[in-house]
Amino acid sequence: MQSSNFDVLSKVKDPEKLRSRCDNYVEKGLTSNPTVKFLIQRLISMGCIPPKDFIRCKECTKEAGGGFGVVEETVLVESKEAKKRASLEQCQRSLEDLRNQIQDEKDGKSKLTIKPEIYLCQQHIQSEDHAHTSMVHELIHAVDMCRAKMDPLNNCIHMACTEIRAQNLSGECAPWKEFIGGQIKNFPNHGKTCVKRRALLSVKENPNCRDRANDYVEAAFERCYKDTFPFDRHPSVR
């Protein structure tokens, strides 16, 4: 469950400077961005109190703006591969690592659970706006995990739905962003087109869902696109 808006990578290379800049964006989001603040308060009111450092900046090996959820692996049968995965941060694990985790669970070698946590990839965050949009995207996933017994690893409809909602409600498909990215081909329907395109890319990242990702997104789309919870209406509508 990753947000990815990194068409132009930052020219800053120093990890400490990247971390400092990203941490500053997160702090401003938590204290000044009304949508971020609203979503945090809704999580609290729903009984899902975010722990300290719920949103953290990290140096990622994957090209993404951020992500939600740490796949925790309870190892039942020890292996070198499982020990190696345990030493890596979620944002440093590869798609192959996830495939192996899922296969090990199917083989009875481990049990997987998702620990709610948000990370921003500090070297791919372009600006304060990008950071806050990514935070909103991942907080929508957190809200969905809080309000329902969602299993996005194994239930591909669940994953498709939360990705559709996160893409739609985060502002990642705002017309000006699509225009800059050269993605607008049919302006009246650009919103749905963008949400569907981006959700499909995210669902394909799950090895359990990859082969039929399009079917899952299509099946969930209309209902989940209309679902604006916890907002009364789409955040872009004033």
Side-chain angles (χ1 to χ4, degrees):
M1 289 184 279
Q2 300 165 9
S3 53
S4 54
N5 180 16
F6 50 89
D7 294 334
V8 181
L9 298 182
S10 170
K11 293 181 180 179
V12 180
K13 300 298 182 182
D14 186 289
E16 291 187 7
K17 290 182 178 179
L18 288 169
R19 176 66 60 85
S20 177
R21 185 182 67 172
C22 182
D23 286 343
N24 185 49
Y25 291 158
V26 170
E27 181 62 24
K28 285 186 177 179
L30 292 171
T31 57
S32 305
N33 185 285
T35 307
V36 171
K37 291 170 65 177
F38 171 78
L39 290 170
I40 292 289
Q41 287 302 314
R42 284 310 303 262
L43 281 172
I44 294 171
S45 68
M46 292 165 67
C48 298
I49 301 174
K52 184 180 179 181
D53 295 328
F54 179 55
I55 304 175
R56 294 190 291 170
C57 294
K58 297 183 179 181
E59 186 168 3
C60 306
T61 55
K62 60 184 67 176
E63 290 189 342
F68 173 81
V70 174
V71 179
E72 291 195 326
E73 185 174 16
T74 302
V75 177
L76 305 177
V77 179
E78 293 287 348
S79 69
K80 291 182 179 179
E81 290 77 11
K83 286 183 178 180
K84 180 182 176 182
R85 291 195 297 266
S87 69
L88 298 173
E89 294 268 17
Q90 182 68 42
C91 62
Q92 296 173 333
R93 294 175 189 167
S94 66
L95 185 58
E96 186 64 26
D97 288 328
L98 180 57
R99 288 195 189 100
N100 291 337
Q101 284 180 307
I102 290 172
Q103 189 59 52
D104 280 358
E105 184 177 47
K106 289 178 179 178
D107 293 341
K109 296 179 181 179
S110 66
K111 182 174 178 58
L112 304 180
T113 55
I114 294 181
K115 175 186 175 183
E117 181 180 299
I118 291 171
Y119 61 85
L120 298 186
C121 294
Q122 61 194 39
Q123 73 269 45
H124 298 317
I125 291 297
Q126 304 303 304
S127 64
E128 185 175 315
D129 175 75
H130 183 197
H132 295 174
T133 299
S134 296
M135 290 168 70
V136 171
H137 177 115
E138 307 308 341
L139 283 166
I140 294 296
H141 291 320
V143 166
D144 286 347
M145 287 285 286
C146 182
R147 73 164 171 165
K149 293 181 179 180
M150 191 174 72
D151 182 13
L153 267 181
N154 299 299
N155 189 316
C156 299
I157 293 293
H158 286 181
M159 182 170 188
C161 188
T162 193
E163 287 299 342
I164 290 164
R165 283 175 29 78
Q167 301 292 353
N168 183 34
L169 300 174
S170 64
E172 288 169 306
C173 285
W176 69 269
K177 292 182 181 179
E178 285 288 272
F179 181 78
I180 291 173
Q183 294 289 348
I184 292 184
K185 296 179 177 63
N186 184 4
F187 192 84
N189 296 313
H190 83 274
K192 283 189 172 183
T193 300
C194 172
V195 168
K196 190 173 291 187
R197 182 188 76 246
R198 293 173 66 96
L200 181 61
L201 291 172
S202 294
V203 174
K204 283 183 176 180
E205 289 293 307
N206 184 340
N208 281 332
C209 309
R210 185 176 183 85
D211 291 344
R212 295 183 57 202
N214 190 68
D215 294 338
Y216 298 126
V217 171
E218 289 292 343
F221 193 79
E222 290 303 326
R223 176 176 62 86
C224 299
Y225 186 78
K226 293 175 183 177
D227 182 4
T228 62
F229 183 85
F231 306 100
D232 293 330
R233 56 187 180 275
H234 195 285
S236 68
V237 178
R238 302 300 179 186

